[in-house]
Amino acid sequence: MKIHEYQARDLLAQYGIPIAEGGVAQSPQEALSLAKKLGFPVVLKAQVLVGGRGKAGGVKVVADEADLVNQFNRIKNLTMGGYTVERLLVARAIDIRKEYYVALTVDNIKGDVVIIASGEGGVDIEETAKTNPEKILKFYMHGEKILDERRWALVAAQLFADTRLQMSATVMIGKLVKLFFEKDCTLAEINPFVVNGEGNLMAADVKVIIDDNGLFRQPELSQRRDLKYDDPDELEAKDKGLSFVKLEGNVGCIVNGAGLAMGTMDAVNLMGGTPANFLDVGGSSNPEKVLNALKIILRNPSIKVVLINIFGGITRCDDIASGILTALAQIKMTVPLVIRLTGTNEAVAKEMLNKAGLTTFSSMRQAVVEAVKLANK
Ligand code: GDP
Ligand code: MN
């Protein structure tokens, strides 16, 4: 889950990482009263959950009231990454002397948390990573969560020549590491991490992503989800107890169990098809779930076929069958349905479905081959 900059700034403040004083505004009047309190110059920043705001004109330092109103209205009317700007951050402008980059993230390939740092922070960091990768430093955590200052000191020593800045950066990186682990982040990025006019370190921008799987222990943060950035179908599915992720393909999948759901997607790919979604109805046998799953999946205009793949353990095949029949009585199928059922109460289930004129498979391979054939027709 991504949170907005103005929310992530609260986390930095909570952990004692210096930020420029500021607040969030929805109207030029609000921005003006904030600016008067802070004192000019202030920086206006579009609060949208997309990167590259600076380059897209969404960040502007303003010197006086007239400038503020003009720039506020201009930024408010921008569309960034397809999203409108609802709020702007108004913060005391930092007199930036030099921009650095510091982030913690998860390296999925190495299975480790990595601290990424660079002496060339700012809006061109992605470009630097491509053209001068040696300027991007990486320090792996080696599976540790130990908050050992000596390790951050190594990072800081490579970024700063000045010992006072080294010491200060060591402390701040340590705080960022603490924040990253305590708040279940998958990303905690300060870019730019700056030296200001007084020669002190500050965070001029921050991006935080919270691991959705850690949200259950982050109740305060989970309330901060900006629903505008979530897929409405995925939200509805979650609300109905389904694990659902939309994908690009055309084979709709309804499966019981996350492992089998992944296996089904692999099989669809292997047979030359492309899954339209990941969907796990869970281990229970509630027929309502099949109905909800079908309703959500059929909304996707790319769908060419729906593949139901059930391995009945705790899940009873007859409950799934009655879910399918209930669903078919309520919704008009616009695409063919391929059903594979095996395991608990398989025979009863097949009889129910066959009576209603539906073909069923016991073999997963056959069902997947059939579904892919129909999708690629
Ligand atoms: P991003 O482009 O979405 O990452 O937005 P940032 O908040 O990082 O802003 C982009 C750039 O604007 C930064 O790299 C800075 O160069 C500049 N900027 C942001 N805040 C300030 C500020 O307070 N003072 C000054 N002088 N420049 C700023
Ligand atoms: Mn930035």
Side-chain angles (χ1 to χ4, degrees):
M1 178 185 93
K2 289 181 181 170
I3 58 174
H4 285 288
E5 180 190 8
Y6 69 91
Q7 301 166 326
R9 278 163 49 94
D10 292 348
L11 290 179
L12 291 188
Q14 198 181 315
Y15 280 81
I17 298 172
I19 52 171
E21 206 183 320
V24 72
Q26 284 181 290
S27 66
Q29 294 74 29
E30 281 174 12
L32 206 53
S33 80
L34 272 169
K36 281 182 184 161
K37 252 185 267 162
L38 299 166
F40 284 97
V42 295
V43 64
L44 299 179
K45 303 173 80 175
Q47 297 299 286
V48 284
L49 295 178
V50 294
R53 295 167 304 167
K55 287 194 167 171
V59 177
K60 200 80 196 169
V61 176
V62 295
D64 56 46
E65 294 185 15
D67 204 12
L68 178 134
V69 174
N70 281 337
Q71 293 296 339
F72 187 99
N73 290 327
R74 183 187 60 79
I75 295 174
K76 188 91 198 287
N77 284 322
L78 291 174
T79 303
M80 307 181 82
Y83 295 100
T84 53
V85 180
E86 276 163 32
R87 296 178 204 85
L88 275 75
L89 176 74
V90 183
R92 192 172 284 149
I94 305 171
D95 173 15
I96 298 178
R97 291 296 154 87
K98 185 162 163 54
E99 303 191 334
Y100 297 83
Y101 178 97
V102 179
L104 267 92
T105 190
V106 180
D107 181 330
N108 286 319
I109 292 167
K110 294 220 167 150
D112 201 3
V113 170
V114 60
I115 301 178
I116 303 172
S118 179
E120 310 223 343
V123 295
D124 290 319
I125 190 76
E126 269 107 4
E127 198 51 35
T128 304
K130 275 188 213 136
T131 53
N132 295 81
E134 75 287 351
K135 291 189 173 159
I136 311 286
L137 312 171
K138 290 187 177 179
F139 305 84
Y140 284 90
M141 299 288 291
H142 304 294
E144 288 175 31
K145 291 189 191 175
I146 303 164
L147 304 176
D148 183 348
E149 279 220 340
R150 283 169 301 182
R151 302 200 38 186
W152 326 137
L154 291 177
V155 183
Q158 293 207 33
L159 284 185
F160 302 98
D162 181 90
T163 33
R164 192 184 57 85
L165 285 177
Q166 271 181 25
M167 275 157 56
S168 162
T170 302
V171 173
M172 284 185 209
I173 295 167
K175 288 173 173 170
L176 192 65
V177 172
K178 196 163 187 286
L179 186 163
F180 179 89
F181 285 113
E182 289 183 356
K183 299 298 176 189
D184 289 306
C185 299
T186 55
L187 177 74
E189 178 192 80
I190 300 177
N191 182 39
F193 185 42
V194 304
V195 176
N196 68 13
E198 282 89 55
N200 295 322
L201 285 169
M202 291 182 90
D205 182 26
V206 55
K207 188 170 168 188
V208 166
I209 302 177
I210 315 289
D211 185 348
D212 282 333
N213 296 311
L215 281 177
F216 73 97
R217 52 186 186 195
Q218 304 294 348
E220 240 172 74
L221 289 173
S222 56
Q223 286 169 14
R224 298 188 162 210
R225 184 184 287 277
D226 186 339
L227 296 177
K228 186 170 127 179
Y229 292 85
D230 284 297
D231 182 278
D233 290 338
E234 289 185 10
L235 286 176
E236 183 186 334
K238 185 183 259 176
D239 193 48
K240 295 190 165 147
L242 305 164
S243 304
F244 172 70
V245 182
K246 222 182 244 179
L247 300 166
E248 305 291 312
N250 59 12
V251 179
C253 302
I254 298 179
V255 189
N256 71 314
L260 186 60
M262 303 255 248
T264 305
M265 297 195 307
D266 284 350
V268 167
N269 274 310
L270 197 65
M271 300 303 174
T274 48
N277 64 276
F278 168 95
L279 191 149
D280 170 16
V281 289
S284 87
S285 301
N286 185 351
E288 190 82 0
K289 284 197 173 178
V290 179
L291 173 66
N292 290 330
L294 262 176
K295 277 185 184 165
I296 291 170
I297 282 187
L298 289 172
R299 271 182 220 149
N300 179 348
S302 312
I303 288 282
K304 291 273 179 60
V305 62
V306 175
L307 169 63
I308 299 184
N309 185 13
I310 304 297
F311 187 91
I314 298 167
T315 306
R316 292 170 33 171
C317 292
D318 55 326
D319 280 335
I320 296 287
S322 81
I324 295 172
L325 294 175
T326 312
L328 294 184
Q330 289 187 27
I331 44 186
K332 194 177 159 300
M333 284 295 289
T334 44
V335 295
L337 191 57
V338 176
I339 307 166
R340 182 261 184 156
L341 293 156
T342 196
T344 311
N345 293 356
E346 175 179 341
V348 192
K350 286 190 168 159
E351 203 185 312
M352 289 164 70
L353 294 169
N354 294 345
K355 254 192 210 155
L358 296 163
T359 320
T360 54
F361 293 86
S362 297
S363 149
M364 172 162 157
R365 170 184 272 271
Q366 282 173 8
V368 172
V369 167
E370 176 66 12
V372 170
K373 193 179 87 192
L374 290 167
N376 291 345
K377 238 200 217 157

